[in-house]
Amino acid sequence: MDLTFNVCNSLAKTGLVMALHRFLTGDRPPVALCIGSDLVIGDSLGPVCGTLLQERCRAGIFVYGTLRHPITAKEVKYLNEFLHDTHPGSPVIAIDAAVGDAGDIGLMKLTTTGIRPGLGANKKLARVGDIGIMGIVAEKSVFNYSLMNLTRLNLVYKMADIIAEAVADFAAGKKTNAAPESNLAV
C-alpha cells in the first residue's frame, strides 16, 4: 500500500505519523536507514533527514546514514543482513530521495514494502526496509544525474524536516506505547 503526502500540506507530518503507527506494530524501537549522498543535492534527502533525526532523538531510535556518515545505494546491499542481525525484530524505516513525473515533485510517498534504492538511476539493488519513505525531488529523465544536481536544497530540506519530525514523533509514541491523538474529522 502506498500513501502520498505533499510537502506543502500542513498535515503531512501528522499523516506520516499516523501511517507509521498503523503499519508498524510491536514494541521494538525503530531503525531509520537514511540513504543518499551529500555530494548531490537531489540525493541528500536521506543524510539530511538522518542528521535531523539524530539531533531530535536522543533515545528510542537507531539512525544509520547522516551527513557526517552517509550510506549510499552501494552500501545498502550489505545492510539488510546487518540490520536484521543487529536489531532483531525492530522495524526498519528506509528513507531515500526519488525521481518521478514533473507533477509529483514535492510528494513524499510512504510504501509498506520498503524501497529499492538507486532504482531511478537504473541500479538493480535489493529492497530494504519494512516501510519506505521516498521524497520525490526531481523529474525522471535520461539525464537523472544532471537533474538531481539542479534540485532545490530548500525542497530537500523541507521534506527532510517533515520526515524527521514524523519519525521522531513516531519513535516517541513507541516509547510511551501510545499513538498520537488526532482531532481530524474525516
Side-chain angles (χ1 to χ4, degrees), residues 2-167:
D2 291 349
L3 300 173
T4 305
F5 306 92
N6 192 305
V7 71
C8 296
N9 186 335
S10 62
L11 296 174
K13 180 194 79 131
T14 303
L16 280 169
V17 173
M18 292 171 67
L20 289 170
H21 276 288
R22 178 177 176 199
F23 297 118
L24 293 178
T25 58
D27 296 331
R28 303 284 299 163
V31 174
L33 176 60
C34 303
I35 304 160
S37 170
D38 60 340
L39 298 174
V40 179
I41 291 173
D43 196 31
S44 66
L45 176 71
V48 171
C49 189
T51 300
L52 293 172
L53 262 171
Q54 211 171 40
E55 292 170 358
R56 294 174 184 172
C57 294
R58 295 289 176 222
I61 188 167
F62 296 95
V63 177
Y64 293 93
T66 62
L67 288 169
R68 188 173 187 164
H69 301 288
I71 293 177
T72 64
K74 290 180 211 172
E75 288 97 21
V76 168
K77 62 182 171 184
Y78 306 108
L79 284 174
N80 265 337
E81 188 176 335
F82 168 79
L83 291 175
H84 290 291
D85 289 348
T86 309
H87 306 283
S90 290
V92 177
I93 303 168
I95 302 165
D96 196 8
V99 294
D101 295 330
D104 290 344
I105 295 172
L107 296 180
M108 296 168 287
K109 291 189 176 188
L110 183 139
T111 177
T112 58
T113 57
I115 59 174
R116 292 184 61 183
L119 196 58
N122 297 320
K123 295 179 182 175
K124 307 275 192 246
L125 299 171
R127 187 171 298 280
V128 294
D130 299 305
I131 291 283
I133 301 175
M134 298 172 289
I136 300 176
V137 298
E139 184 178 357
K140 185 171 178 63
S141 141
V142 291
F143 306 110
N144 275 342
Y145 185 76
S146 61
L147 288 178
M148 291 294 266
N149 273 330
L150 297 174
T151 302
R152 303 285 310 224
L153 179 58
N154 182 51
L155 173 67
V156 171
Y157 189 84
K158 193 185 277 189
M159 279 186 180
D161 186 46
I162 291 169
I163 294 168
E165 194 69 30
V167 173

